Amino acid sequence: MGNSVKIRRFRRCPRISHLFLVKGIINHPMKALSIQNLKKTYNNGFQALKGVDLEVDSGDFFALLGPNGAGKSTIIGIISSLVTKSSGSVTVFGHDLDKASGQAKCCIGLVPQEVNFNQFETVKNVVLIQAGYYGIPRKQAMAQAEHCLKQMDLWDKRDTVSRRLSGGMKRRLMIARAMVHQPRLLILDEPTAGVDIEIRRSMWQMMQEVNQQGTTIILTTHYLEEAESLCRNIAIINDGQIIEKSAMNSLLNRIHIDHFVLDIAQPLAVAPVIEGFGIELVDSHWLHVAVPKSQGLNRLFEELSRLGISVMSLKNKSNRLEQLFIDLVQ
Amino acid sequence: MNNSVAFRTILYKEIRRFTRIWPQTLLPPAITTALYFLIFGKLIGERIGAVHGVSYMDYIVPGVILMSVISHSYSNVVSSFYSTKFQHHIEELLVSPVPNWVILSGYVCGGIARGVMVGAVVAAISMLFTQVTVLNWPITLTVLILTSTLFALAGFINAVFADSFDDISIIPNFVLTPLSYLGGVFYSLAMLPPIWQIIAQGNPILYMINAFRFGLIGVTDVDIALAFQMTAGFILFLSGLSLFLLHKGIGIKN
Ligand SMILES: Nc1ncnc2c1ncn2[C@@H]1O[C@H](COP(=O)(O)OP(=O)(O)OP(=O)(O)O)[C@@H](O)[C@H]1O
Ligand SMILES: [Mg+2]
């Protein structure tokens, strides 16, 4: 997608001295984002963040999850200078947001939760104007805009007034806009909300590509399978506090019981009893089975065939992360 | 960070905005001016006779031009910056590393551009009715630029505080228009009763209109130096205030 466009790597953030970089890698890898004791009380007195600590490694693909109103967009707003913090500190690639806001801002690309471009501008102008705000000269901005719009599959729409785009296209336009200055940290606040499945897949692929090219990504989403398949590290926030921080793998390993629903060939009147598994009859053709990791599925099927029950198909009762999430948040 | 690119981006965006909607921005002042000259100049003016040795029609030209400059430089910034806030695309500016003074200069220069362009349109219409020529270009242009700068800044501050579309029309309707009309566009101070002459001198717009009139036709009721000092003082004060508001994020950040 749009790879044919040759563009110069464009960096306005001053390069960190080589020595420091080498030393940094050995001692403590450069953090893309470091947040300490971040608090936010809105003007109406509501405390949305109650002391958040968060670190994201350079190059990470990071999920920030939490229920509605947990404070995800508030954190993102503070990182991207849209919301003023009440206290605490935020550092982006070593640049403190209070002391070196210009350099910090150069490193960040933001895809906000709500549409916030000028609806009366054309698609291309939305991206070009943003490039201008980052100080990218016109000619270079044109090349960058073309690259980003092609990557987002919007090049054909470049002269359309942005108000006339569909919801999914508007979201992709915001991604193109966020990438026009080639940020080192891309923050996406629910980028796939309301996007059809095909586009969502291509967005996943795009995000993975961008991440593989070295851009750190922070993603919020309510589609947990999305976070599960894309992200390496995860934080869960609830009620303005981080309640869980870990690698996705180790989090998923904590799930000891998988839940499956089996579609069975012959109707049953009562649920079969098999030692080690919790089996319930949902209705005459459906069984709900709780499978502990220690048992595995093989023995379940052996026992079921011994009882003369043939299984037509099976599916996960719910997404694994979803279950954990619900346990944690409640 | 290349500030000049960012500045030009804002300025061009502003100019494109008001030229794109020219039937709302450039056409109305042309029509209003034509009406002023028909009614005040032709029908009423002929009964008034000369003021300070110039015909009444010529006398009102500078004020009519500057009145449009004032209202348009103000309204350009107030409506553009307010809708930037209202539609949330101010966030595009806030996330990017554009310094506040560049944001302010971009919007203010957009307001100046609109003020000057409308001033030119109104001046062109005036030429159809009168034979006014510019007596002193440096003074005329300086007053034009300073006045539009001042009111562009004022419009900016109005937009920062505005919370609804009502808020952006209160000042123009209830402050600017009355002060402009009472600022000696259509009369000389000498035509007022003595007590009103004193009250009228508390109106800053009176000074700008007279300075502009001095530049164009060499007639003034006030001290020109005082007019310049006053305008410059207001500009400094309002710039400082605007930068302070931007720095604090008042009205634009949560
Ligand atoms: N401008 C504001 N003034 C007052 N309270 C606010 C404001 N913005 C957000 N809040 C409150 O702060 C809390 C956190 O909001 P936030 O938008 O950060 O949640 P979120 O995690 O992004 O939720 P969602 O998943 O629904 O997007 C909510 O209770 C919200 O009502
Ligand atoms: Mg949110």
Side-chain angles (χ1 to χ4, degrees):
Chain A
M1 275 211 240
N3 289 341
S4 55
V5 193
K6 270 266 178 303
I7 46 165
R8 208 159 14 120
R9 186 79 189 161
F10 193 78
R11 271 278 145 71
R12 276 150 316 285
C13 295
R15 288 209 173 274
I16 312 134
S17 90
H18 208 66
L19 196 74
F20 178 79
L21 195 70
V22 172
K23 205 175 145 221
I25 286 169
I26 296 166
N27 290 344
H28 31 82
M30 168 69 85
K31 297 285 179 204
L33 177 69
S34 167
I35 294 179
Q36 264 107 39
N37 199 19
L38 189 63
K39 292 185 183 163
K40 171 66 187 178
T41 306
Y42 280 106
N43 287 340
N44 62 2
F46 181 81
Q47 191 177 19
L49 299 179
K50 302 170 178 166
V52 167
D53 292 289
L54 199 63
E55 292 205 319
V56 177
D57 288 335
S58 174
D60 202 355
F61 203 135
F62 190 92
L64 181 61
L65 307 180
N68 285 136
K72 304 179 295 293
S73 298
T74 303
I75 295 184
I76 290 174
I78 292 172
I79 301 170
S80 46
S81 309
L82 297 179
V83 176
T84 46
K85 61 180 164 36
S86 303
S87 67
S89 78
V90 177
T91 312
V92 182
F93 285 102
H95 306 294
D96 189 303
L97 217 49
D98 293 327
K99 294 174 202 134
S101 70
Q103 281 142 315
K105 284 171 168 183
C106 279
C107 301
I108 302 174
L110 172 71
V111 181
Q113 183 170 5
E114 311 281 348
V115 170
N116 73 344
F117 46 74
N118 186 344
Q119 309 251 354
F120 298 97
E121 290 288 359
T122 62
V123 165
K124 195 163 82 182
N125 272 345
V126 167
V127 180
L128 282 176
I129 287 173
Q130 185 76 83
Y133 292 164
Y134 283 95
I136 304 174
R138 185 82 182 169
K139 227 178 119 190
Q140 203 168 350
M142 290 282 208
Q144 302 268 124
E146 181 175 347
H147 175 75
C148 294
L149 286 172
K150 281 184 173 163
Q151 194 168 21
M152 283 299 116
D153 226 349
L154 281 174
W155 185 239
D156 293 342
K157 295 274 179 192
R158 62 188 175 277
D159 294 321
T160 306
V161 177
S162 55
R163 177 165 40 105
R164 299 195 197 285
L165 294 179
S166 76
M169 291 174 186
K170 286 181 178 163
R171 239 153 236 298
R172 280 182 283 149
L173 173 55
M174 292 201 293
I175 302 181
R177 183 186 62 182
M179 296 203 307
V180 74
H181 64 293
Q182 300 190 315
R184 299 167 75 185
L185 171 63
L186 184 62
I187 305 176
L188 304 110
D189 198 350
E190 297 189 31
T192 53
V195 172
D196 76 39
I197 189 69
E198 194 184 338
I199 301 286
R200 191 181 304 168
R201 293 226 162 135
S202 79
M203 271 161 78
W204 290 349
Q205 199 188 345
M206 179 283 304
M207 286 190 271
Q208 271 169 328
E209 271 167 31
V210 170
N211 179 242
Q212 273 153 20
Q213 286 157 15
T215 305
T216 312
I217 295 186
I218 298 176
L219 175 78
T220 81
T221 178
H222 291 291
Y223 302 109
L224 297 182
E225 70 277 15
E226 178 171 298
E228 185 179 335
S229 66
L230 290 174
C231 300
R232 284 190 287 280
N233 289 293
I234 181 173
I236 298 178
I237 178 171
N238 190 26
D239 207 8
Q241 282 168 313
I242 302 278
I243 53 170
E244 181 63 50
K245 255 188 291 196
S246 69
M248 185 69 77
N249 286 341
S250 65
L251 190 66
L252 292 176
N253 279 340
R254 267 194 254 158
I255 303 168
H256 296 303
I257 299 177
D258 275 333
H259 296 265
F260 294 97
V261 175
L262 308 186
D263 180 7
I264 48 183
Q266 291 87 30
L268 288 177
V270 286
V273 179
I274 303 173
E275 168 99 32
F277 300 91
I279 303 180
E280 285 167 34
L281 200 60
V282 182
D283 68 32
S284 57
H285 277 94
W286 293 99
L287 287 179
H288 171 204
V289 188
V291 183
K293 277 241 165 72
S294 54
Q295 298 285 351
L297 280 173
N298 277 358
R299 201 171 73 78
L300 173 68
F301 284 118
E302 281 165 17
E303 297 288 335
L304 283 174
S305 8
R306 236 166 24 84
L307 293 171
I309 299 171
S310 60
V311 178
M312 309 295 289
S313 68
L314 101 168
K315 60 178 186 192
N316 260 97
K317 181 154 180 262
S318 63
N319 174 271
R320 296 184 297 163
L321 187 56
E322 214 158 88
Q323 222 142 55
L324 203 77
F325 181 82
I326 288 164
D327 293 343
L328 281 169
V329 164
Q330 271 166 2
Chain B
M1 178 61 204
N2 192 334
N3 287 330
S4 84
V5 171
F7 170 76
R8 271 178 286 145
T9 305
I10 300 174
L11 179 58
Y12 294 166
K13 171 180 77 88
E14 286 298 283
I15 292 176
R16 255 189 303 124
R17 191 189 79 95
F18 72 72
T19 46
R20 186 173 51 206
I21 52 172
W22 64 270
Q24 292 172 45
T25 55
L26 300 177
L27 194 58
I31 293 171
T32 321
T33 313
L35 289 172
Y36 279 142
F37 285 114
L38 275 175
I39 296 166
F40 292 103
K42 270 232 165 342
L43 301 179
I44 299 174
E46 278 169 11
R47 299 174 184 213
I48 296 179
V51 185
H52 291 296
V54 295
S55 78
Y56 184 69
M57 188 94 117
D58 288 2
Y59 187 80
I60 66 171
V61 168
V64 168
I65 296 176
L66 205 67
M67 198 162 65
S68 315
V69 172
I70 289 173
S71 81
H72 283 264
S73 51
Y74 189 94
S75 70
N76 196 68
V77 183
V78 76
S79 56
S80 170
F81 196 71
Y82 178 68
S83 67
T84 302
K85 257 172 61 168
F86 181 75
Q87 286 192 55
H88 296 290
H89 55 266
I90 187 153
E91 294 177 2
E92 294 178 341
L93 279 165
L94 297 179
V95 299
S96 58
V98 193
N100 289 337
W101 65 269
V102 174
I103 298 180
L104 184 65
S105 326
Y107 276 90
V108 167
C109 288
I112 297 173
R114 163 104 167 258
V116 169
M117 207 172 285
V118 167
V121 168
V122 172
I125 301 284
S126 312
M127 296 305 148
L128 301 177
F129 294 87
T130 67
Q131 277 83 47
V132 170
T133 52
V134 181
L135 206 65
N136 185 329
W137 274 104
I139 289 187
T140 304
L141 290 181
T142 314
V143 176
L144 178 68
I145 299 296
L146 287 181
T147 306
S148 48
T149 306
L150 196 166
F151 287 95
L153 281 165
F156 186 85
I157 291 168
N158 188 168
V160 165
F161 285 113
D163 255 336
S164 69
F165 278 100
D166 287 340
D167 294 346
I168 69 172
S169 61
I170 287 175
I171 305 273
N173 287 336
F174 296 103
V175 180
L176 285 187
T177 310
L179 284 185
S180 299
Y181 277 98
L182 298 173
V185 176
F186 297 105
Y187 52 80
S188 163
L189 271 193
M191 295 162 134
L192 295 179
I195 176 74
W196 283 103
Q197 292 192 17
I198 294 168
I199 294 173
Q201 287 179 32
N203 175 2
I205 293 180
L206 176 86
Y207 294 82
M208 295 164 218
I209 287 177
N210 273 286
F212 196 59
R213 183 176 287 133
F214 183 74
L216 274 169
I217 59 175
V219 173
T220 176
D221 289 338
V222 303
D223 179 9
I224 299 300
L226 180 61
F228 276 105
Q229 284 158 7
M230 189 186 262
T231 314
F234 272 115
I235 289 176
L236 284 179
F237 171 71
L238 294 180
S239 312
L241 180 57
S242 307
L243 289 174
F244 172 78
L245 293 171
L246 277 174
H247 177 69
K248 288 280 170 202
I250 291 170
I252 54 178
K253 284 191 196 181
N254 280 316

